Amino acid sequence: MSTHADLNVAEIAERYAAAWKSHDVDAILALHAEDSTFQAHGRVGQVRGRDALRAEFSQVFQRYPEFGVETHRLLLGDRHWTLDWTLTFKPDGKDRRGFRALDVVEVDHNGLVRSKDTFFNFAEVKAAFEAA
């Protein structure tokens, strides 16, 4: 068990990003606390708990084929990080496209994600889906 003083937030954020980039829902969930929450602001209400997170994160990979991440900035805090990134995806027969997003992720005293909030501009998301 980690203590607040010895959490390496940069290393936790790196493992978390690697799990997302590998599209491995089990690996993502292994980094979440049991009662962790997720909310994609502007799209869905908050979901809580690993079962709900599993369903939501699985849908992300279905909704965004060939899901990818382009990192712009990673800002580290005491028990949180903020990630400024672009979500990229490639629909069948179409060019890769994406939209900018901002994640605010908090970890508990064990270094497990207790909340993940994703913010995005819905107009950018809509434009990405409508692009030729």
Side-chain angles (χ1 to χ4, degrees), residues 1-65:
M1 179 184 292
S2 296
T3 63
H4 177 72
D6 65 8
L7 286 180
N8 184 335
V9 175
E11 190 271 333
I12 296 166
E14 185 177 311
R15 281 190 291 128
Y16 194 69
W20 275 96
K21 289 175 183 177
S22 71
H23 305 179
D24 186 340
V25 175
D26 288 331
I28 296 166
L29 292 174
L31 298 171
H32 276 262
E34 284 289 332
D35 65 344
S36 185
T37 63
F38 169 71
Q39 184 167 2
H41 293 266
R43 197 186 70 70
V44 297
Q46 185 182 75
V47 296
R48 178 181 299 275
R50 287 191 179 142
D51 289 342
L53 293 176
R54 178 180 302 284
E56 186 62 32
F57 295 160
S58 295
Q59 288 176 11
V60 167
F61 296 124
Q62 292 170 4
R63 188 176 303 113
Y64 305 109

Side-chain angles (χ1 to χ4, degrees), residues 62-120:
Q62 292 170 4
R63 188 176 303 113
Y64 305 109
E66 297 186 36
F67 174 92
V69 174
E70 293 176 8
T71 300
H72 304 291
R73 290 182 295 166
L74 174 62
L75 306 174
L76 300 169
D78 195 21
R79 282 181 33 189
H80 68 278
W81 70 85
T82 302
L83 178 66
D84 176 7
W85 61 295
T86 295
L87 185 157
T88 65
F89 64 106
K90 186 180 182 313
D92 283 341
K94 298 188 178 183
D95 292 334
R96 180 164 283 280
R97 70 266 324 267
F99 54 89
R100 199 81 174 244
L102 186 73
D103 283 355
V104 177
V105 182
E106 293 181 84
V107 296
D108 65 15
H109 64 280
N110 292 315
L112 295 174
V113 174
R114 70 179 187 135
S115 68
K116 178 182 191 301
D117 291 86
T118 300
F119 300 87
F120 52 86

